[in-house]
Amino acid sequence: METIKPKSCVKSKTRFARTFQKVINLRNAKRIASSNGICVLVSHNKFKEDSGIHGGKSQVFERSEEDVKARNRAVMEALVAKLFASVTSIKAAYAELQMAQSPYNSDAIQAADQAVVDELKVISELKRSFLKKELDLSPQVTLMLSEIQEQQSLMKTYEITIKKMQAESEHKNVDIVSLKKKLGELLSFNKSLEKKLDASGSLSMFDNLQFPVLNPTHFAQFLHYTVRSIRNFVKLMIREMESASWDLNAAIECIVGSDTEFPEPTHRSFAFESFVCKTMFEGFTTDTNFILQNDSLPLDEQQNHQMFDKFKKLKPVNPKIFISQNPNSSFAKFTRSKYLQLVHAKMECSLFGNLNQRKIINSGGVPDTTFYAAFAEMSKRVWLLRCLAFSLHNDVTIFQVRKKSRFSEVYMQCVTEEILFSPADMNDSTVGSGSEPRVRFTVVPGFKIGETVVQSRVYLSPPRR
């Protein structure tokens, strides 16, 4: 019984096998053509005698024409195969030439260049022979050699590609090592920044604070830690301004006026601290972001307890994580509002070159930047300070000291001790004479909780002598 071969067997023939089969066919055709020629010579006389009956002479001529056409077709196929093989060799040589450029290898470049020249000469010679009809090719041999040449060129191209990919892999490995090193440096830098943020003071001392024993002293202590967080943010903001080539003196003039003199360059930070405090504490007792929902001041004892619960709940939490998990919470809305108010669009674009942080915040997200992390920590402490203030049983008010006001130790505390006059200067001849220092601007506002006064922090003008 005849066996039917599956189609997959036919399709699986390699290119080389097909070429080999073609060569065999060409040899068979040549052998048949040679046999036909012998028959023609042997029977020439007989065909000549019987030409009138059988027409043998015309059949011989027709068969000879077919043989010539088959021969010409085989030669053309061999020519095209050789031409394609030369093109493939040129491609391989060009790939070698590119590979030898980096790293530079003069010997490899010369060898590749010579290979290209040699193949171009072969193509030129084929063209000349073809145009002059002087092609002298053995179809079988030419097809086989062309196939071998093409396969060798392809193998060379693949080898070059493998080397190129290995070089790229090694280069990427070097990049990976470099990036890992940079990552380690950034992680170390972030840890140092976290330590600086922690320098604003741990809030662990308030872990055991209980609502029944809460008093204004606790508020004053927490205000101290809040101010330290504000100063850390101000230092970071000033560094960003200096990196962005800001004119700090011009910025200070916009905040406190052009008539303010600073004996020490480090005192300029108090102007920025004043600006940040004024923004962050604005609406401390009136902003709806601070008030319990559907309630109004003054708060009763139950509402005081609710505010204290808010304080205890938020105190140990990372503010960025809390905002990302609770984007619609009062604290998240407060932080978002204060950021947009403090860092206006032009300022952000100048500091960072774009408005990416602003866009993320407006969409309810949390920017993953050191600048925003410092801001969120500061915002958290201001928010907690408010919660603590309204956890007390007394009314809370906030105040600022007017510019050029006389210094009062009851309501004020000087942020720079060197400016504050000594007790020796306080005598009958100087009091009221206009020689005492005056308030230039308020740095941190003061608070009044019932009858208790928490001093404001002010920057003083040096006394006139």
Side-chain angles (χ1 to χ4, degrees):
M1 182 180 294
E2 185 179 357
T3 303
I4 301 177
K5 295 183 179 180
K7 293 183 179 179
S8 58
C9 293
V10 178
K11 292 183 178 179
S12 62
K13 284 187 176 182
T14 63
R15 186 174 176 182
F16 190 82
R18 289 197 299 268
T19 304
F20 190 74
Q21 184 64 38
K22 189 180 294 185
V23 171
I24 292 174
N25 294 337
L26 286 171
R27 285 185 174 178
N28 291 336
K30 186 175 181 181
R31 190 179 297 113
I32 292 170
S34 300
S35 300
N36 290 334
I38 293 170
C39 290
V40 170
L41 292 173
V42 172
S43 307
H44 176 68
N45 295 328
K46 186 176 182 179
F47 276 118
K48 188 174 181 181
E49 293 173 358
D50 300 334
S51 60
I53 302 172
H54 301 288
K57 189 175 181 180
S58 62
Q59 291 180 0
V60 170
F61 288 151
E62 289 175 1
R63 189 167 293 177
S64 298
E65 283 184 20
E66 291 177 1
D67 292 342
V68 171
K69 289 181 180 180
R71 167 72 181 178
N72 290 339
R73 184 166 57 250
V75 170
M76 291 304 297
E77 288 180 0
L79 174 65
V80 172
K82 188 171 180 61
L83 182 62
F84 284 172
S86 295
V87 171
T88 306
S89 297
I90 291 174
K91 288 173 62 178
Y94 181 72
E96 284 184 324
L97 189 64
Q98 286 183 315
M99 189 70 180
Q101 296 292 332
S102 179
Y104 186 80
N105 187 335
S106 59
D107 294 337
I109 290 176
Q110 290 179 0
D113 182 67
Q114 186 61 44
V116 172
V117 171
D118 292 343
E119 291 301 329
L120 289 176
K121 286 181 179 179
V122 170
I123 294 174
S124 178
E125 181 62 25
L126 286 174
K127 177 183 177 182
R128 187 192 65 78
S129 299
F130 177 79
L131 293 176
K132 291 187 176 182
K133 298 181 180 181
E134 296 177 354
L135 285 174
D136 185 17
L137 297 175
S138 173
Q140 300 92 336
V141 175
T142 303
L143 281 172
M144 292 292 292
L145 292 178
S146 298
E147 182 65 23
I148 292 171
Q149 181 183 354
E150 188 164 357
Q151 293 298 326
Q152 289 177 339
S153 299
L154 287 174
M155 287 178 62
K156 190 178 295 185
T157 303
Y158 293 148
E159 289 175 359
I160 294 170
T161 303
I162 291 172
K163 290 180 181 179
K164 186 176 180 181
M165 293 179 69
Q166 288 176 342
E168 290 178 354
S169 177
E170 292 175 359
H171 181 70
K172 289 184 182 297
N173 288 334
V174 173
D175 289 342
I176 289 171
V177 173
S178 177
L179 290 173
K180 283 183 177 179
K181 184 178 178 181
K182 288 183 180 179
L183 178 61
E185 293 174 353
L186 289 173
L187 290 174
S188 301
F189 180 70
N190 287 340
K191 287 181 179 179
S192 67
L193 288 177
E194 288 176 1
K195 289 181 180 179
K196 290 181 180 179
L197 288 175
D198 292 338
S200 59
S202 172
L203 302 179
S204 59
M205 66 173 295
F206 299 95
D207 288 346
N208 299 322
L209 185 61
Q210 301 297 322
F211 177 72
V213 298
L214 194 62
N215 59 65
T217 302
H218 296 118
F219 176 87
Q221 291 174 342
F222 198 88
L223 175 62
H224 171 72
Y225 289 100
T226 303
V227 171
R228 290 175 67 175
S229 177
I230 291 173
R231 285 183 176 173
N232 284 336
F233 173 76
V234 168
K235 289 178 182 178
L236 178 60
M237 183 176 70
I238 291 174
R239 286 199 299 269
E240 294 291 348
M241 289 177 172
E242 289 174 341
S243 298
S245 302
W246 271 47
D247 186 347
L248 297 184
N249 292 327
I252 291 170
E253 288 183 5
C254 294
I255 297 172
V256 297
S258 58
D259 57 343
T260 301
E261 297 180 359
F262 296 96
E264 298 291 337
T266 56
H267 291 179
R268 298 185 303 175
S269 64
F270 293 120
F272 294 103
E273 187 176 336
S274 171
F275 169 72
V276 173
C277 285
K278 184 177 181 181
T279 303
M280 297 303 297
F281 287 109
E282 184 180 356
F284 191 82
T285 59
T286 59
D287 195 325
T288 55
N289 282 315
F290 283 115
I291 309 301
L292 285 170
Q293 190 173 2
N294 299 327
D295 288 314
S296 58
L297 298 174
L299 306 180
D300 57 29
E301 184 173 354
Q302 181 181 1
Q303 293 168 331
N304 292 143
H305 206 295
Q306 290 178 12
M307 295 300 292
F308 185 74
D309 290 341
K310 284 188 173 184
F311 172 84
K312 297 287 285 185
K313 179 181 178 181
L314 184 59
K315 182 182 68 64
V317 176
N318 182 305
K320 289 176 61 178
I321 295 176
F322 183 88
I323 293 172
S324 63
Q325 295 176 348
N326 305 275
N328 296 321
S329 64
S330 297
F331 170 62
K333 292 179 180 178
F334 167 77
T335 302
R336 188 180 307 122
S337 173
K338 290 299 181 181
Y339 180 90
L340 298 177
Q341 185 180 354
L342 178 65
V343 186
H344 54 78
K346 289 184 178 180
M347 177 179 177
E348 182 176 328
C349 187
S350 175
L351 293 180
F352 308 112
N354 55 58
L355 298 176
N356 291 345
Q357 294 190 74
R358 199 174 199 82
K359 292 176 182 178
I360 294 173
I361 292 171
N362 278 325
S363 63
V366 178
D368 187 17
T369 63
T370 302
F371 185 82
Y372 183 79
F375 177 85
E377 180 64 28
M378 174 184 67
S379 176
K380 168 190 167 181
R381 297 197 179 194
V382 173
W383 176 265
L384 290 175
L385 184 69
R386 192 272 162 194
C387 293
L388 196 60
F390 286 97
S391 300
L392 300 169
H393 304 288
N394 307 100
D395 294 340
V396 180
T397 57
I398 186 171
F399 65 88
Q400 294 233 29
V401 181
R402 293 178 184 174
K403 188 175 181 179
K404 297 184 179 180
S405 296
R406 294 169 63 178
F407 180 78
S408 169
E409 291 184 345
V410 177
Y411 293 97
M412 307 173 206
Q413 180 182 357
C414 181
V415 292
T416 53
E417 295 180 359
E418 60 268 24
I419 293 180
L420 186 60
F421 52 85
S422 64
D425 292 330
M426 290 295 295
N427 52 53
D428 295 337
S429 61
T430 58
V431 173
S433 64
S435 62
E436 68 273 11
R438 298 279 177 167
V439 175
R440 180 58 64 183
F441 57 87
T442 300
V443 180
V444 182
F447 298 86
K448 190 173 182 182
I449 305 173
E451 298 300 321
T452 304
V453 175
V454 179
Q455 295 170 310
S456 64
R457 304 183 185 189
V458 296
Y459 188 84
L460 302 177
S461 298
R464 295 190 299 270
R465 300 294 182 182

